[in-house]
């Protein structure tokens, strides 16, 4: 079982750049179980929606704030590798705002326009941008299959106005273009099990997937205790988050996968 504590250098990098990438935070079996369960999960498949980008491409996702289940998704979201790291980086107690699976299918997966997560969450009456997400690569993410791109240090720009482009909400293109002239664009290429921790004001996007490789990723999103917000379905107000021993991830994942296989064979 892996353990992780961010170094002082990583904490400084998060404050300066708005993100840190942690390679091999999760073990191969943990990620393999997540992929198998995610692809076979009919309940989650029924929750999928697919916003269109400006070129008509679709990226699929499902989102939930269900934190009470002893399943593999919550094993990732409650585990100390993620939660303790979030609390260190945000310097506050955190709770789970929601989690979601992002899916870019081979050849047809759509793009995500430049945006800040706080550009959305601001409208849930989140008073401060003191929020962050952890993206876990389930498949290999590379430039060809639409890996995440970020503008390094853009979280320090403050909130940018957002509007609707395609059927997605994105940041003001003129403001983004100005930022892109001065800030480095980074392609966050990640192997399965790598995690990207990023601030809610960090500008990020992804291209369409025109490769033969799928790109699945689990994103666990957190708010800080001191940050009030409107209590909405899928975007709750503060509830204390129980931290789980990281070993429970495999225990719950194995049990969930065995139950799914049994149900499929019944």
């Amino acid at each position: 079982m892996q353990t992780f504590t961010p170094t002082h250098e990583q904490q400084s990098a998060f404050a300066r750049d708005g993100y840190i990438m942690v390679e091999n935070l999760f073990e191969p079996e943990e990620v393999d179980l997540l992929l198998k369960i995610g692809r076979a999960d009919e309940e989650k498949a029924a929750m999928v929606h697919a916003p269109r980008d400006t070129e008509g491409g679709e990226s699929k996702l499902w989102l939930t704030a269900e934190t009470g289940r002893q399943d593999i998704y919550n094993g990732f979201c409650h585990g100390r590798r993620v939660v303790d790291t979030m609390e260190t980086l945000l310097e506050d107690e955190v709770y789970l705002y929601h989690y979601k699976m992002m899916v870019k299918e081979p050849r047809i997966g759509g793009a995500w326009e430049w945006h800040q997560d706080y550009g959305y969450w601001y409208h849930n009456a989140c008073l401060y941008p003191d929020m962050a997400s952890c993206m876990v690569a389930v498949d290999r993410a590379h430039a060809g299959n639409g890996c995440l791109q970020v503008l390094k240090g853009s979280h320090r720009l403050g909130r940018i106005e957002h509007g609707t482009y395609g059927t997605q909400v994105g940041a003001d293109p003129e403001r983004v273009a100005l930022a892109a002239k001065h800030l480095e664009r980074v392609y966050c290429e990640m192997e399965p099990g790598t995690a990207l921790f990023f601030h809610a004001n960090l500008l990020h996007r992804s291209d369409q997937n025109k490769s033969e490789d799928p790109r699945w990723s689990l994103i666990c999103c957190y708010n800080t205790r001191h940050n009030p917000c409107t209590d909405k379905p899928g975007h709750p107000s503060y509830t204390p988050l129980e931290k789980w021993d990281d070993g429970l991830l495999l225990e719950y994942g194995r049990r969930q996968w065995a139950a799914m296989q049994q149900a499929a064979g019944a």
Side-chain angles (χ1 to χ4, degrees):
M1 182 186 68
Q2 300 279 357
T3 59
F4 176 72
T5 301
T7 65
H8 290 300
E9 291 77 11
Q10 288 171 317
Q11 295 174 53
S12 296
F14 183 84
R16 180 187 67 241
D17 303 331
Y19 72 96
I20 60 169
M21 187 182 297
V22 182
E23 296 181 353
N24 302 313
L25 185 63
F26 295 97
E27 298 175 0
E29 185 183 359
E30 294 172 325
V31 179
D32 183 60
L33 279 168
L34 178 60
L35 183 60
K36 291 190 295 187
I37 290 169
R39 286 179 172 165
D41 195 334
E42 295 180 359
E43 177 187 5
K44 295 296 190 294
M47 298 166 56
V48 167
H49 68 284
R52 291 183 178 272
D53 60 29
T54 55
E55 297 179 10
E58 294 184 346
S59 281
K60 300 177 182 178
L61 78 154
W62 56 255
L63 180 153
T64 180
E66 171 55 62
T67 63
R69 296 185 180 183
Q70 294 180 343
D71 60 16
I72 195 165
Y73 311 114
N74 279 289
F76 278 87
C77 296
H78 285 254
R80 289 186 174 274
R81 276 172 287 184
V82 173
V83 179
D84 285 347
T85 299
M86 278 293 180
E87 292 189 336
T88 298
L89 297 176
L90 292 175
E91 301 180 328
D92 194 5
E93 178 187 345
V94 301
Y95 70 96
L96 187 61
Y97 199 45
H98 59 252
Y99 58 93
K100 52 198 172 190
M101 187 76 82
M102 313 290 289
V103 180
K104 284 183 183 284
E105 300 290 5
R107 300 177 300 279
I108 60 174
W112 287 95
E113 311 302 333
W114 284 110
H115 66 279
Q116 300 165 309
D117 289 338
Y118 188 59
Y120 307 152
W121 301 338
Y122 172 88
H123 295 287
N124 295 340
C126 295
L127 192 59
Y128 301 101
D130 300 338
M131 310 169 77
S133 299
C134 176
M135 169 184 276
V136 179
V138 185
D139 292 304
R140 175 173 171 258
H142 55 88
N145 69 351
C147 70
L148 199 73
Q149 304 166 33
V150 304
L151 289 185
K152 194 172 184 177
S154 58
H155 66 304
R156 292 180 290 165
L157 300 175
R159 184 181 69 88
I160 296 171
E161 289 297 330
H162 283 57
T164 302
Y165 306 96
T167 60
Q168 297 180 18
V169 175
D172 175 12
E174 292 186 4
R175 192 69 175 179
V176 171
L178 177 61
K181 291 180 180 179
H182 300 278
L183 300 174
E184 178 186 358
R185 181 191 300 212
V186 178
Y187 286 78
C188 299
E189 297 190 312
M190 302 162 64
E191 295 296 324
T194 295
L196 184 78
F197 294 84
F198 61 99
H199 192 276
N201 260 345
L202 186 71
L203 279 165
H204 57 286
R205 63 155 286 125
S206 62
D207 290 331
Q208 293 184 348
N209 181 4
K210 297 183 178 180
S211 77
E212 299 297 319
D213 303 324
R215 201 215 80 179
W216 287 56
S217 55
L218 178 70
I219 306 180
C220 311
C221 305
Y222 299 86
N223 191 12
T224 44
R225 179 177 181 173
H226 77 268
N227 191 16
C229 65
T230 302
D231 194 358
K232 294 186 174 183
H235 300 81
S237 56
Y238 172 73
T239 301
L241 178 63
E242 181 182 357
K243 297 180 185 179
W244 293 354
D245 183 272
D246 285 313
L248 291 175
L249 196 164
L250 274 180
E251 177 183 332
Y252 293 156
R254 289 167 179 164
R255 187 170 68 195
Q256 185 178 3
W257 180 238
M260 294 174 78
Q261 288 182 301
Q262 184 177 12

